[in-house]
């Protein structure tokens, strides 16, 4: 029987899954849920050492003898401090020592309760990774706990070996040992550096064993060199490639996937669910895509992480692939060796329901790709009345070839995703933290140093928040700013529940009557404005003129109410006309 503590169960199960089965235990009551769970499981080899300082060094001796990680576990308070010398030795000797310290709940730290000291991050400068586990009250905390433990274990040998520290708060009651079995836990694996030589991960075989394969591409810089490789994966291996505008990779066949995920029914979403997901690049704008993959019953999720950092945006990651994007994708696109029956049996564990002939002739894979492309073909670009959405579309259609497009965060970047953009246009947006500050300054900096014709689509709050971005002495005659001024933070009025708040306009959306004309003209801009579709169409040729002697700002005046209405109408129309099957 195991402890009833869910964080203890996650830890014990993951140590076993990662083959860390030598545990040195020092006595105590706070760590008794851990001690009992380890010592009563025959898969663990446990040692009892009373003095924690000695226990730490005892564990180092085990590591030296067995040539793989081992763990030391102690109770809370000053007992943890006594592990310090062994942690330091492991750090400088590069030994994979896993330190597990039981702790009081955070609320009791500093409250004169017995055996309590600040233990979180106690050995931070002497460990490869230091984590504080939650006590687990819901599924999200369980996912978080699982991820933290996997990260700490993977850090024991992340190119450079060394110690990791897991601090685990345990509240009373401590002594319930009524759990008969360990839970099924998600094990995150990490490829060894130089996987092209070390092929024990068998990524190509595993890739070939699936028929419903998907690559999701997040934000990447222009000129990333992946377009042709991904197109080869799409055509030759029938892989569904979902790439947002900010990936700077044009995949027209599936570019409207966000709208598809909105329009599809639950049954249709199930048909669109992949078995294998490979992710690469930075942030994903589409919240629907995140929710879809997080709730989908996928089999494996590989994330390409050059640094080896565990990124689990979709809460489904099973493998961290330490490689640059191009190298790993090229590795996958090499012609897979023909899988003989005996070879296929070795990868059958990944999908026992698939017949070998189906995998080999790839009919199901082609059907999955065709399904996604048919779904996306049924989606149309927005055809709406004058609004922020209309203005964004007008700009996207008017963008000159080989120009650059900077996007403000929040609503601007989301509106841009709904339109087709010329493949020669370079796309940028500050999605590292997704804040509204600095979008204007970034565009000005880019325009002044690149010399390229640069467009910025930005909302009013973001523009006025950063209006000093125009207050400089640098030449930006190549800059064009389309400012959607709807009198506040429009996106807040679209969020269900929040849009009913009586303080929405004054305090949340920050409604205002500010205009940019005086400030733009004072800074040397040619100022244009539009209050309706006719005026906007009239101003666009002057706005996109490449020979203008001045930078240009086009301020488009709309209303939050009209904007929200047009967005709703667009999505309602897509839901009505959406068709997945022929």
């Amino acid at each position: 029987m195991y402890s009833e503590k869910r964080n203890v169960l996650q830890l014990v199960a993951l140590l076993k899954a990662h083959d860390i089965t030598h545990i040195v235990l020092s006595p105590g009551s706070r760590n008794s849920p851990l001690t009992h769970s380890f010592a009563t499981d025959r898969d663990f080899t446990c040692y009892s050492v009373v003095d924690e300082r000695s226990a730490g060094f005892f564990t180092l001796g085990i590591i030296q003898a067995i040539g793989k990680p081992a763990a030391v576990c102690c109770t809370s308070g000053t007992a943890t401090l006594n592990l310090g010398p062994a942690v330091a030795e492991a750090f400088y000797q590069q030994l994979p020592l896993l330190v597990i310290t039981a702790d009081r709940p955070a609320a009791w730290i500093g409250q004169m309760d017995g055996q309590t000291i600040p233990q979180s991050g106690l050995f931070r400068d002497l460990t490869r990774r230091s984590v504080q586990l939650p006590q687990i009250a819901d599924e999200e905390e369980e996912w978080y706990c699982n991820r933290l433990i996997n990260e700490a274990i993977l850090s024991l040998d992340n190119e450079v070996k060394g110690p990791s520290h897991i601090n685990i708060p345990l509240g009373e009651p401590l002594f319930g040992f009524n759990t008969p079995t360990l839970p099924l836990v998600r094990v995150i694996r990490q490829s060894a550096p130089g996987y092209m030589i070390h092929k024990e991960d068998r990524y190509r075989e595993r890739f070939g064993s699936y028929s419903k394969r998907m690559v999701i591409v997040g934000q990447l810089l222009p000129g990333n060199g992946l377009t042709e490789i991904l197109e080869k994966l799409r055509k030759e291996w029938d892989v569904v490639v979902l790439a947002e505008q900010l990936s700077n990779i044009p995949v027209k066949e599936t570019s409207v996937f966000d709208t598809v995920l909105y329009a599809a029914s639950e049954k249709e979403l199930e048909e669109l669910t992949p078995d294998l997901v490979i992710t690469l690049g930075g942030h994903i704008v589409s919240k629907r895509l995140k929710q879809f993959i997080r709730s989908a019953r996928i089999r494996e999720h590989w994330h390409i992480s050059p640094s080896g950092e565990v990124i689990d945006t979709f809460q489904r990651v099973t493998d961290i692939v330490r490689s640059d994007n191009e190298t790993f994708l090229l590795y996958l696109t090499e012609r897979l060796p023909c899988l003989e029956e005996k070879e296929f049996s070795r990868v059958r564990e990944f999908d026992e329901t698939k017949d070998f002939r189906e995998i080999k002739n790839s009919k199901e894979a082609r059907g999955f790709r065709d399904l996604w492309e048919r779904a996306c073909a049924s989606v149309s670009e927005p055809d709406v009345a004058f609004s922020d959405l209309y203005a964004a579309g007008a700009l996207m259609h008017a963008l000159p070839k080989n120009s650059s497009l900077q996007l403000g965060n929040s609503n601007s970047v989301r509106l841009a995703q709904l339109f087709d953009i010329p493949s020669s246009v370079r796309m940028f947006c500050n999605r590292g933290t997704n804040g509204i500050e600095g979008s204007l300054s970034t565009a000005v900096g880019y325009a002044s140093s690149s010399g390229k014709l640069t467009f910025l689509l930005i909302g009013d709050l973001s523009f006025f928040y950063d209006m000093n971005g125009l207050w400089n002495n640098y030449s930006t005659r190549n800059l064009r700013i389309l400012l959607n001024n709807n009198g506040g933070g429009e996106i807040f009025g679209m969020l269900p529940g929040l849009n009913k708040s009586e303080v929405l306009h004054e305090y949340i959306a920050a409604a205002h009557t500010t205009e940019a004309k005086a400030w733009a003209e004072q800074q040397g801009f040619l100022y244009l404005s539009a209050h309706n579709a006719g005026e906007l169409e009239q101003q666009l040729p002057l706005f996109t003129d490449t020979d203008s002697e001045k930078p240009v700002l086009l301020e488009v005046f709309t209303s939050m109410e009209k904007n929200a209405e047009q967005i709703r109408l667009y999505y309602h129309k897509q839901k009505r006309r959406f068709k997945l099957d022929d």
Side-chain angles (χ1 to χ4, degrees), residues 25-244:
L25 302 167
S26 293
S29 62
R30 189 59 51 169
N31 65 331
S32 60
L34 292 157
T35 300
H36 177 90
S37 298
F38 288 131
T40 57
D41 188 323
R42 293 184 178 180
D43 287 335
F44 290 96
T45 301
C46 295
Y47 308 82
S48 178
V49 180
V50 175
D51 186 311
E52 286 85 7
R53 185 173 62 170
S54 178
F57 284 101
F58 188 99
T59 312
L60 297 188
I62 294 174
I63 295 169
Q64 293 168 347
I66 65 176
K68 64 180 186 178
V72 60
C73 175
C74 75
T75 193
S76 65
T78 54
T80 61
L81 294 172
N82 288 316
L83 292 174
V87 173
E89 180 64 25
F91 183 78
Y92 289 109
Q93 201 177 141
Q94 296 185 4
L95 294 174
L97 171 69
L98 182 61
V99 178
I100 302 169
T101 55
D103 199 0
R104 256 59 173 181
W108 288 103
I109 307 302
Q111 299 305 303
M112 296 187 181
D113 196 33
Q115 292 181 293
T116 57
I117 63 169
Q119 293 179 201
S120 178
L122 186 63
F123 310 115
R124 181 168 293 143
D125 292 338
L126 292 170
T127 53
R128 301 297 176 194
R129 188 77 170 91
S130 179
V131 301
Q132 166 101 349
L133 303 186
Q135 294 192 74
I136 305 183
D138 53 39
E139 288 186 2
E140 184 170 293
E141 285 190 342
E142 188 150 28
W143 160 74
Y144 181 46
C145 181
N146 173 279
R147 195 193 83 210
L148 289 175
I149 297 168
N150 273 293
E151 286 181 12
I153 293 172
L154 292 174
S155 296
L156 292 167
D157 186 10
N158 191 359
E159 295 197 41
V160 177
K161 291 183 174 65
S164 288
H165 177 206
I166 296 176
N167 192 56
I168 176 167
L170 298 168
E172 296 181 2
L174 297 170
F175 312 127
F177 306 119
N178 299 308
T179 305
T181 59
L182 291 173
L184 293 174
V185 292
R186 179 187 57 155
V187 181
I188 301 176
R189 304 292 184 187
Q190 188 178 67
S191 65
Y195 67 89
M196 295 290 285
I197 300 172
H198 306 285
K199 295 189 177 182
E200 65 272 11
D201 295 310
R202 298 186 291 116
Y203 283 120
R204 290 179 66 196
E205 290 179 48
R206 290 157 64 185
F207 178 76
S209 73
Y210 288 114
S211 56
K212 300 168 72 174
R213 299 171 293 215
M214 176 181 287
V215 174
I216 298 174
V217 189
Q219 183 172 12
L220 293 170
L221 289 173
N224 52 66
L226 300 180
T227 299
E228 290 185 9
I229 305 172
L230 288 167
E231 183 64 9
K232 186 176 182 181
L233 272 174
R234 189 185 74 82
K235 286 185 174 180
E236 295 187 14
W237 293 104
D238 296 302
V239 174
V240 174
V241 178
L242 304 185
E244 291 188 318

Side-chain angles (χ1 to χ4, degrees), residues 15-16 115 142 175 181 296 337 395-396 416 427 433 493 542 546:
L15 287 184
K16 186 184 294 192
Q115 292 181 293
E142 188 150 28
F175 312 127
T181 59
L395 172 61
M396 300 304 120
M427 301 274 292
T433 53
L542 188 56
T546 58

Side-chain angles (χ1 to χ4, degrees), residues 539-577:
Q539 300 287 26
L540 276 175
L542 188 56
F543 178 67
T544 57
D545 182 13
T546 58
D547 297 323
S548 175
E549 293 298 318
K550 293 182 176 182
V552 184
L553 188 146
L554 171 56
E555 189 167 16
V556 180
F557 293 94
T558 62
S559 74
M560 284 191 276
E561 292 77 13
K562 184 79 170 180
N563 292 332
E565 174 190 88
Q566 292 304 305
I567 285 284
R568 284 194 294 268
L569 285 173
Y570 166 69
Y571 279 115
H572 180 65
K573 179 181 178 182
Q574 299 309 310
K575 199 159 189 111
R576 284 172 48 198
R577 72 191 299 271

Side-chain angles (χ1 to χ4, degrees), residues 230-368:
L230 288 167
E231 183 64 9
K232 186 176 182 181
L233 272 174
R234 189 185 74 82
K235 286 185 174 180
E236 295 187 14
W237 293 104
D238 296 302
V239 174
V240 174
V241 178
L242 304 185
E244 291 188 318
Q245 305 283 25
L246 292 179
S247 71
N248 285 288
I249 294 173
V251 188
K252 292 186 178 181
E253 291 80 6
T254 50
S255 62
V256 292
F257 63 82
D258 182 83
T259 306
V260 166
L261 294 175
Y262 169 83
S265 66
E266 288 297 320
K267 183 178 181 299
E268 290 166 335
L269 287 175
E270 191 172 329
E271 294 180 59
L272 294 167
T273 297
D275 293 327
L276 168 66
V277 174
I278 302 172
T279 54
L280 58 107
H283 283 250
I284 298 292
V285 176
S286 172
K287 185 175 289 187
R288 293 190 186 96
L289 179 58
K290 294 175 188 175
Q291 293 170 340
F292 171 59
I293 299 298
R294 286 170 185 171
S295 60
R297 298 179 62 184
I298 65 174
R299 302 295 298 278
E300 293 192 60
H301 170 201
W302 308 344
H303 179 68
I304 305 176
S305 176
S307 67
E309 184 180 3
V310 176
I311 303 296
D312 192 21
T313 305
F314 297 98
Q315 299 182 307
R316 287 290 182 271
V317 76
T318 58
D319 288 71
I320 297 297
V321 181
R322 287 195 291 193
S323 168
D324 64 274
N325 299 321
E326 185 175 2
T327 299
F328 187 72
L329 293 178
L330 281 172
Y331 163 74
L332 290 182
T333 57
E334 292 176 10
R335 181 61 55 182
L336 290 175
C338 181
L339 293 175
E340 303 295 340
E341 284 285 358
K342 62 180 181 180
E343 289 181 301
F344 183 72
S345 66
R346 294 185 313 164
V347 296
R348 190 177 295 278
E349 61 184 289
F350 299 106
D351 198 340
E352 294 178 350
T353 64
K354 296 291 187 294
D355 180 79
F356 172 71
R357 296 181 188 84
E358 283 187 326
I359 300 297
K360 191 173 179 180
N361 63 26
S362 194
K363 286 184 179 179
E364 190 173 348
R366 192 166 299 113
F368 183 62

